[in-house]
């Protein structure tokens, strides 16, 4: 029988200071490539994200964004190149690298009959969290992602927006130093989008966040840096306003970089 949901608190989210011995580089891609038969989904992609930052990862549909994120998180094996999380190779040091990483895949699966607290408790136990430590982390992420109103509902009864917020809570549960998020505001209403953007801005003060999105207004609002791929190749890497200062300028530049 499942244990009862934890009591949520109204306390502010716990902000973890960066470890003094944390590696300089939080996320690194070195010549990442991935082929599916004759099709090259990702081709020789390299970039480095050192320390705390909020970096937007852009590209048109089918550009290879999600494939690149799966390579960075170790969920796919590269055809060539390597990926590192907190200085750890995600292929050869996968178990340790996963302790540093929180990953929210696009449309991440949730057990349909489990409630949000049951999902978080199961995932916390899988990560070795127990007792008071697990209860404290559950309370923190439930507050951060504003899940208090749906704690008793099974995942199958949640809206897409709330399922996305459960996925975000799961990514934050073990308090990782690196977050890789694939379309975290998909399915959220405008008020929820504003909350998630503020949450990500706060989290980026103490950890590295790579945020895949196609919403240029979101990039303009919160990104400190922009990395863009098109047809599997890196086509742009620059500061937050490097595509322009207005959405119209950004859209024009986006189209120019991904044309053809």
């Amino acid at each position: 029988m499942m244990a009862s949901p934890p009591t949520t608190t109204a306390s502010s989210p716990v902000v973890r200071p960066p470890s003094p011995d944390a590696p300089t580089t939080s996320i690194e891609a070195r010549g990442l490539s991935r082929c599916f038969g004759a099709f090259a989904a990702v081709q020789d992609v390299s970039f480095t994200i050192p320390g705390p930052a909020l970096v937007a990862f852009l590209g048109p549909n089918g550009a290879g964004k999600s494939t690149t994120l799966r390579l960075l998180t170790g969920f796919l094996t590269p055809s060539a190149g390597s990926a590192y999380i907190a200085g750890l190779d995600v292929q050869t040091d996968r178990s340790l690298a996963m302790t540093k990483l929180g990953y929210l895949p696009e449309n991440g699966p949730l057990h349909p009959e489990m409630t949000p607290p049951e999902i978080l408790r199961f995932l916390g136990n899988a990560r070795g969290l127990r007792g008071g430590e697990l209860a404290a982390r559950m309370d923190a992420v439930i507050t951060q992602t504003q899940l208090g109103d749906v704690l008793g509902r099974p995942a199958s009864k949640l809206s897409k927006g709330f399922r996305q917020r459960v996925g975000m809570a799961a990514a934050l549960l073990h308090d990782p130093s690196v977050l890789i998020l694939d379309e975290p505001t998909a399915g959220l209403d405008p008020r929820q989008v504003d909350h998630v953007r503020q949450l990500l801005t706060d989290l980026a003060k103490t950890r590295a966040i790579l945020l895949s999105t196609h919403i240029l207004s979101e990039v303009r609002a919160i990104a400190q840096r922009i990395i863009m791929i098109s047809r599997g190749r890196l086509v742009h890497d620059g500061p937050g306003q490097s595509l322009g200062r207005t959405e119209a300028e950004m859209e024009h530049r986006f189209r120019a970089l991904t044309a053809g």
Side-chain angles (χ1 to χ4, degrees), residues 173-185:
L173 184 60
H174 57 298
D175 201 19
S177 60
V178 176
L179 288 171
I180 293 181
L181 310 173
D182 197 351
E183 304 285 356
T185 57

Side-chain angles (χ1 to χ4, degrees), residues 1-259:
M1 181 175 65
M2 294 292 182
S4 59
T7 302
T8 59
T9 66
S11 58
S12 298
V14 176
V15 176
R16 175 191 46 76
S19 170
D21 58 353
T24 301
T25 301
S26 295
I27 304 172
E28 183 175 8
R30 296 184 189 173
L32 281 180
S33 298
R34 173 69 191 204
C35 297
F36 297 95
F39 173 65
V42 175
Q43 304 179 65
D44 195 27
V45 169
S46 296
F47 59 83
T48 298
I49 301 174
L54 202 164
V55 180
F57 191 47
L58 298 181
N61 290 338
K65 297 192 302 297
S66 292
T67 299
T68 302
L69 298 190
R70 294 188 186 109
L71 293 169
L72 287 170
T73 55
F75 283 80
L76 275 179
T77 301
S79 302
S82 52
Y84 299 83
I85 296 296
L88 299 163
D89 188 310
V90 298
Q91 294 299 319
T92 61
D93 297 308
R94 178 171 171 75
S95 294
L96 187 54
M98 293 305 99
T99 67
K100 312 292 184 182
L101 172 68
Y103 174 42
L104 175 64
E106 186 178 13
N107 300 318
L110 300 173
H111 193 291
E113 301 307 316
M114 297 175 74
T115 64
E118 291 168 350
I119 291 169
L120 294 175
R121 186 174 293 108
F122 172 79
L123 294 174
N125 287 334
R127 287 189 173 275
L129 298 174
R130 299 287 188 275
E133 180 185 15
L134 175 57
R137 287 303 305 154
M138 287 177 63
D139 274 356
V141 298
I142 286 170
T143 299
Q144 285 176 307
T145 55
Q146 297 185 337
L147 287 172
D149 291 339
V150 298
L151 295 182
R153 300 183 197 174
S156 61
K157 302 300 182 182
L158 297 179
S159 67
K160 180 179 179 181
F162 272 115
R163 291 197 300 271
Q164 194 77 340
R165 288 154 74 178
V166 174
M168 175 74 79
L172 292 169
L173 184 60
H174 57 298
D175 201 19
S177 60
V178 176
L179 288 171
I180 293 181
L181 310 173
D182 197 351
E183 304 285 356
T185 57
L188 303 186
D189 64 39
R191 182 185 61 82
Q192 294 168 341
V193 168
D194 286 343
H195 169 74
V196 170
R197 288 178 180 176
Q198 185 58 56
L199 173 61
L200 294 179
T201 300
D202 292 341
L203 290 170
K205 296 173 183 176
T206 57
R207 66 203 77 200
I209 301 175
L210 183 61
L211 167 69
S212 174
T213 182
H214 65 278
I215 305 172
L216 294 181
S217 61
E218 190 161 75
V219 175
R220 181 168 172 262
I222 63 175
Q224 301 165 0
R225 177 179 166 194
I226 298 170
I227 296 172
M228 185 186 299
I229 63 172
S230 181
R231 297 180 298 280
R233 293 186 178 276
L234 188 72
V235 295
H236 179 82
D237 187 347
Q241 293 188 334
S242 56
L243 294 183
R245 294 181 177 274
T246 68
E247 287 183 46
E249 290 176 351
M250 294 177 70
E251 183 173 348
H252 177 77
R253 184 65 173 148
F254 181 92
R255 290 178 182 275
L257 288 167
T258 59

